[in-house]
Amino acid sequence: MNIKDLGFWFRDFWAEFKREGSGLVGLALLVIFVLITLFEAPLLPFKEANTRWRDITYWQDNPTNAAPVWTNLFTPKKAARTLNLNKGLKETITDTEGNSFVQESFTYRFTADKAPLDIIIHSTIKGSVPFTVLVERPDGTDIQLFQKYIESDVPTEVRFSLNNDSKNSLFAFLKLHETSENLSRVSSGSIRSTDILFNKAREGMADSFEALKGEYRFIVKAQVVNQEQFVMQDTRLVVTGSVSGILGTDNMKRDIFSGLIAGLKWALFIGLFTSAVSVLIGVFYGIISAYYGGIVDTIMQFIYQIFVSIPLLPVLIVVSAVFKPSIWFLIGVMVIFFWPGSVMTVRSMAFQIKEETYIEAARALGAGHRRIIFNHMAPLLIPYSFASMALSVPSAIVYESSVSLLGLGDASIVTWGQILHDAMMGNAILNGLWWWVIPPGLAIAIMGMTFAFLGFAMDRILHPKLRTR
Amino acid sequence: MYKWFATKRIIKGLFMYALLIFIMSALFNSVVETTMRSQIEEQVRLESMKLKNTNTAALQKFQNERREKLIKNYKLDRPIWERIVYRAIDTITFKFGKSTIIKSSQGERDVLTIIAEAIPRSLILFTVAAVFEILFGIYLGLKKAQKPGGSLDKSTSLITMIVYGMPTWWLAMIMILFFVYTVKIFPSSGVHSVPAPEGFMYILDMLWHTALPLLTLVLIGFWGLAFVVRNIVLGILQEDYIMAARARGIPENSVLFGHTLRTAAPPLITMSLLSLLGSISGSIIFEGIFSWPGLGNLYWIAVQQNDIPVLMGDLAITIGLYQAGLVILDLTYGFLDPRIKVGGKA
């Protein structure tokens, strides 16, 4: 079978495949998956999700266990969503006394009914710098939130969190409006800063929240004492909302959507690689076993019998628990147990092909064993194995996620099974965090469905016996 | 003839089991022995704590002697191949030793007792589920085969493909999320309430606890079975004697359930047993989601506590059950289809 034959064969195959509705759906889904893998970088909301999935400092600005943003559509009281403002308005000003300041201001349009959980400001600063954070509320009040004197010779990161660092100044603001009776019940330690800052200034604001909507201007101001040494850069503001991202966050503040995108390529790779390698091994094993027959066949069948009689998942679990394997090792173990799946069908088909006259002719012409197996038998049988290749992809993915679910996965990558393991450990079911449990499993199921659609469609075309009349 | 066939198959099964245990023993030899050594150390420490009024030298001497004796007892001083064989023989004769952390409900640390407690619970859950799966699967499969390409056939085939790659344990999570915490009608875990009620209520309570795991297993299991049944039955419905039966005016249901089902019985039973074996081999850890204290849950606990002896014992028993299942499979098949036991080569 040469390239031209292959082209003809493929054209025939495609003509039939076009008529399989579910097969086309499967193909479309597969194309989508591949595209997502290729365009992973622009799709990832958190760019370093792949490498820093288990690094808590990377996720520290996110809310804990936040619901997806779109849940706002179904709630009467809209929650503030997580927002990243990476660039503010930077200006240099000089006051009347001749002091020069560098300030960067961020405008946050607050339209939700509930206050955000926190406002966080990051900045990288060098030199001897008196550093201030101010806010202008929509009603015209200015509040100084934070003041600190920073002294450092190297650029250091300063992190300001409204909740932790400005309780005193907001309590002072509260004092201006609240009655003394209400004030006696709260202290600067017990208030939630965001609930005061985004509240309408009035009596009773300590008790109830009434959103003051409008534009809040956060100003980060640094006094330039020594021009040569001064650096202030990478200033950014994060609004930590109580809803976050497309699929919410987990108990370690990780963005679940990023995890799903990062896990996709591994699911695809584990499934395709394991099934392709193991089915190819199985096909050649079956052909060789049938071609040589006799004692070779007996021995090879015995080895096959051993592998067939091993329950895969228990062995996989124990191997993972004992050897703490990397993902490559795990794929290797799966290949070792997956190849027998396609041996029997191929062997029985190879028994028929072996007796065909053209094989006899090839042998009469002096063709060697290898030539007959690789050039005359394998090309006929490999197309038939495509269906079983597609159909064994889902089980490879499910086995990997089962092992990961037990917490035995490769810790250097992100897979869907590991996200579900964290969900189990974080009591996601008990706490009703459905956005943490449903999406990863659904992704596994959809991936399985994709290959089931493809596999069953190919099966119907390649084994016409099963066709519906 | 059947006796010969059966004996041969059983001996082959036993041999295969021994062989697999031997391979496992070689594979996991070093980790098992590390655990054994630390267990010996622990025992020596315990024994020397019981000793009173001894000086340091005597204590040291006692400890060394005990340690050496125990190492000899466990044959840890022998060459490696001998240790592997010895370990394999121990496993085959169900001497799994003591667990490191896990205890049975009576507080014993004998691995065999711990596993023996778990086996019936797993078997009950999975066999009952298999029975339901087979009933639903065969019924649906027959209906599908009756009108191949019809709307019922098409829609159920679609569902088969949709659930094809769905992990059972994930469906279990979703079922718990929905039926336990949203619509509060089922308990979340275990085999019975704590404390367990008496008498008739005990059975009801157990059924109530079994319902959700069972529902999950059946819900995901019978679609695939129905699909296979359809393909088998579809082949049989083409036969001449079915056409003859229909021509004689025998009611359609009688043709379907009488004539067709009898011919389809051997492959159907094979398929059903295979699906039961498949769930032992593939979805056993789903027990962990429901905290159903069977063999699968034992894997969870053993992995979390890093209890190597229990893990190894559990694996040996699972392999044994799987072997037994394969032997039963072949024996039933041979019983139902006489051609198998006569023909020498499969």
Side-chain angles (χ1 to χ4, degrees):
Chain A
M1 198 185 260
N2 55 33
I3 300 294
K4 211 172 159 193
D5 287 342
L6 207 66
F8 279 127
W9 178 84
F10 186 75
R11 212 167 299 153
D12 281 356
F13 177 80
W14 176 243
E16 290 211 46
F17 192 82
K18 269 195 293 195
R19 272 179 276 148
E20 297 283 342
S22 59
L24 288 177
V25 173
L27 192 65
L29 281 171
L30 182 64
V31 169
I32 291 172
F33 284 142
V34 171
L35 284 178
I36 293 177
T37 312
L38 290 179
F39 295 101
E40 188 194 272
L43 279 170
L44 269 182
F46 290 83
K47 304 295 172 206
E48 289 170 72
N50 272 306
T51 44
R52 299 179 70 181
W53 182 250
R54 285 172 186 80
D55 181 356
I56 25 173
T57 55
Y58 182 67
W59 305 98
Q60 60 180 347
D61 297 341
N62 276 347
T64 309
N65 292 343
V69 165
W70 47 265
T71 50
N72 259 349
L73 295 175
F74 310 104
T75 45
K77 277 199 149 191
K78 308 298 173 207
R81 55 202 283 176
T82 298
L83 205 66
N84 282 289
L85 301 172
N86 288 329
K87 228 172 160 51
L89 179 69
K90 202 166 186 175
E91 44 202 338
T92 315
I93 42 172
T94 319
D95 70 357
T96 47
E97 288 157 36
N99 297 324
S100 112
F101 294 92
V102 172
Q103 74 168 28
E104 197 158 349
S105 55
F106 300 87
T107 311
Y108 168 51
R109 271 192 66 82
F110 175 62
T111 52
D113 302 314
K114 289 188 215 156
L117 296 177
D118 204 355
I119 304 280
I120 291 158
I121 293 170
H122 287 272
S123 187
T124 307
I125 289 174
K126 191 185 125 185
S128 308
V129 183
F131 176 82
T132 332
V133 179
L134 304 150
V135 62
E136 284 174 14
R137 279 160 47 98
D139 60 1
T141 10
D142 289 1
I143 307 170
Q144 182 170 343
L145 295 171
F146 180 62
Q147 208 168 15
K148 196 179 179 186
Y149 186 77
I150 292 156
E151 172 105 61
S152 93
D153 300 335
V154 283
T156 30
E157 184 164 335
V158 181
R159 182 174 185 266
F160 159 78
S161 149
L162 186 76
N163 257 347
N164 300 330
D165 303 329
S166 61
K167 280 197 168 19
N168 287 327
S169 46
L170 283 166
F171 189 65
F173 173 68
L174 182 67
K175 265 185 185 164
L176 297 176
H177 302 280
E178 193 54 286
T179 58
S180 54
E181 189 203 345
N182 277 347
L183 271 177
S184 63
R185 275 183 275 122
V186 290
S187 70
S188 67
S190 70
I191 56 164
R192 243 188 66 193
S193 311
T194 47
D195 277 350
I196 304 297
L197 181 62
F198 292 95
N199 210 334
K200 277 193 180 134
R202 69 207 142 84
E203 283 186 7
M205 68 187 288
D207 281 338
S208 62
F209 182 78
E210 215 172 291
L212 175 68
K213 299 181 187 182
E215 287 191 351
Y216 288 75
R217 211 155 78 92
F218 289 89
I219 303 161
V220 182
K221 203 169 177 184
Q223 191 181 350
V224 184
V225 178
N226 185 339
Q227 189 65 46
E228 283 90 68
Q229 276 194 348
F230 179 80
V231 172
M232 180 169 103
Q233 60 192 21
D234 299 336
T235 312
R236 59 196 172 87
L237 181 135
V238 183
V239 179
T240 308
S242 41
V243 291
S244 178
I246 299 172
L247 290 173
T249 58
D250 65 9
N251 68 345
M252 285 169 72
K253 305 187 176 185
R254 294 178 291 209
D255 184 54
I256 291 168
F257 181 71
S258 302
L260 277 197
I261 297 288
L264 176 70
K265 58 176 175 300
W266 284 107
L268 211 54
F269 174 74
I270 292 165
L272 283 174
F273 188 81
T274 310
S275 69
V277 173
S278 53
V279 168
L280 279 183
I281 293 175
V283 166
F284 280 102
Y285 195 90
I287 294 176
I288 291 168
S289 177
Y291 178 76
Y292 287 103
I295 181 78
V296 177
D297 187 39
T298 314
I299 293 170
M300 286 176 88
Q301 283 308 299
F302 180 71
I303 295 171
Y304 163 81
Q305 290 280 325
I306 295 175
F307 279 94
V308 165
S309 48
I310 297 176
L312 174 53
L313 188 63
V315 173
L316 211 56
I317 290 169
V318 176
V319 166
S320 311
V322 170
F323 298 117
K324 308 270 182 298
S326 70
I327 189 68
W328 305 102
F329 187 91
L330 198 66
I331 289 175
V333 176
M334 282 202 281
V335 167
I336 289 173
F337 288 106
F338 266 45
W339 65 262
S342 50
V343 166
M344 273 332 237
T345 349
V346 169
R347 179 170 164 266
S348 61
M349 283 162 88
F351 264 128
Q352 287 173 13
I353 293 176
K354 184 184 146 190
E355 305 300 333
E356 297 281 344
T357 42
Y358 61 86
I359 300 286
E360 207 181 328
R363 201 175 290 143
L365 282 169
H369 294 313
R370 194 183 300 167
R371 191 181 168 82
I372 291 175
I373 289 173
F374 283 93
N375 287 17
H376 296 286
M377 293 178 83
L380 278 169
L381 287 164
I382 285 178
Y384 288 93
S385 67
F386 287 155
S388 52
M389 239 181 240
L391 287 177
S392 62
V393 168
S395 36
I397 296 173
V398 169
Y399 279 124
E400 192 278 332
S401 18
S402 303
V403 171
S404 293
L405 182 75
L406 286 164
L408 300 169
D410 187 337
S412 63
I413 59 168
V414 191
T415 67
W416 294 336
Q418 290 169 5
I419 299 177
L420 284 166
H421 167 73
D422 294 336
M424 280 296 288
M425 293 294 115
N427 288 328
I429 301 173
L430 182 71
N431 299 324
L433 309 177
W434 51 266
W435 57 87
W436 194 5
V437 182
I438 294 177
L442 201 61
I444 296 173
I446 291 175
M447 183 74 95
M449 187 183 85
T450 304
F451 284 98
F453 279 162
L454 285 173
F456 280 109
M458 283 197 261
D459 212 31
R460 274 195 294 273
I461 296 169
L462 300 168
H463 301 119
K465 243 194 201 167
L466 300 176
R467 218 174 279 176
T468 44
R469 274 137 308 207
Chain B
M1 274 310 276
Y2 187 69
K3 245 186 252 166
W4 263 112
F5 168 77
T7 335
K8 247 166 64 184
R9 184 63 191 91
I10 290 169
I11 290 173
K12 195 180 150 211
L14 287 174
F15 173 72
M16 204 59 103
Y17 177 65
L19 186 71
L20 289 179
I21 294 298
F22 193 79
I23 294 171
M24 296 299 148
S25 161
L27 203 58
F28 302 121
N29 183 53
S30 70
V31 67
V32 170
E33 286 184 355
T34 318
T35 325
M36 271 185 163
R37 275 179 203 279
S38 64
Q39 277 183 331
I40 289 174
E41 283 304 314
E42 195 189 336
Q43 198 179 339
V44 169
R45 213 175 312 125
L46 266 177
E47 281 174 12
S48 45
M49 275 198 327
K50 279 182 201 149
L51 294 179
K52 281 168 192 157
N53 307 326
T54 43
N55 57 9
T56 331
L59 188 71
Q60 202 90 47
K61 189 164 167 280
F62 170 79
Q63 281 188 343
N64 284 339
E65 270 173 12
R66 278 300 294 165
R67 195 175 294 132
E68 250 166 57
K69 189 157 183 295
L70 284 169
I71 283 177
K72 225 184 186 82
N73 267 358
Y74 286 115
K75 294 201 168 43
L76 282 173
D77 52 344
R78 316 296 300 175
I80 185 148
W81 61 267
E82 209 174 308
R83 298 203 306 259
I84 291 173
V85 174
Y86 182 73
R87 231 46 92 221
I89 291 170
D90 255 9
T91 314
I92 291 168
T93 50
F94 300 118
K95 280 183 210 145
F96 299 129
K98 296 243 181 292
S99 72
T100 52
I101 295 160
I102 300 171
K103 284 177 182 161
S104 74
S105 58
Q106 258 75 47
E108 285 175 69
R109 282 180 42 178
D110 184 36
V111 173
L112 190 59
T113 323
I114 295 171
I115 294 173
E117 272 182 356
I119 293 176
R121 295 177 190 142
S122 273
L123 282 185
I124 284 177
L125 181 61
F126 282 99
T127 37
V128 173
V131 168
F132 279 111
E133 275 171 34
I134 291 163
L135 289 180
F136 291 144
I138 288 180
Y139 184 77
L140 185 63
L142 284 172
K143 286 283 158 212
K144 274 155 72 87
Q146 227 174 353
K147 281 201 193 80
S151 60
L152 177 82
D153 184 28
K154 279 218 170 111
S155 58
T156 50
S157 296
L158 193 69
I159 299 176
T160 308
M161 290 189 272
I162 289 173
V163 300
Y164 185 81
M166 193 183 280
T168 321
W169 42 260
W170 177 70
L171 187 67
M173 285 169 151
I174 302 303
M175 297 290 265
I176 292 181
L177 200 63
F178 186 74
F179 284 111
V180 179
Y181 294 113
T182 312
V183 192
K184 299 180 170 74
I185 46 172
F186 286 119
S188 70
S189 60
V191 252
H192 48 65
S193 311
V194 181
E198 300 279 313
F200 180 64
M201 284 309 285
Y202 179 84
I203 298 169
L204 274 186
D205 183 62
M206 198 163 159
L207 282 178
W208 185 48
H209 278 79
T210 325
L212 202 54
L214 207 60
L215 190 66
T216 312
L217 273 179
V218 173
L219 207 59
I220 215 165
F222 81 99
W223 303 102
L225 210 63
F227 191 75
V228 179
V229 171
R230 167 198 179 270
N231 288 344
I232 294 170
V233 170
L234 207 54
I236 293 167
L237 284 179
Q238 308 289 309
E239 303 278 346
D240 292 339
Y241 62 85
I242 298 291
M243 200 193 278
R246 279 179 176 155
R248 286 207 302 278
I250 293 171
E252 183 63 24
N253 269 346
S254 171
V255 172
L256 217 52
F257 291 100
H259 296 70
T260 315
L261 212 52
R262 175 60 190 95
T263 331
L268 286 187
I269 286 177
T270 320
M271 286 316 303
S272 322
L273 279 172
L274 269 181
S275 84
L276 177 62
L277 286 178
S279 51
I280 289 180
S281 150
S283 57
I284 192 159
I285 59 158
F286 127 105
E287 285 180 354
I289 309 286
F290 284 107
S291 306
W292 183 266
L295 290 173
N297 195 44
L298 208 53
Y299 281 107
W300 276 82
I301 305 173
V303 164
Q304 266 156 26
Q305 318 264 21
N306 203 16
D307 197 324
I308 299 293
V310 174
L311 204 57
M312 294 298 156
D314 203 359
L315 180 64
I317 291 293
T318 318
I319 291 177
L321 282 177
Y322 197 72
Q323 284 311 309
L326 288 175
V327 170
I328 292 171
L329 181 73
D330 279 2
L331 291 186
T332 1
Y333 200 82
F335 187 72
L336 290 168
D337 191 345
R339 284 168 300 178
I340 299 293
K341 59 194 177 212
V342 185
K345 269 189 182 173

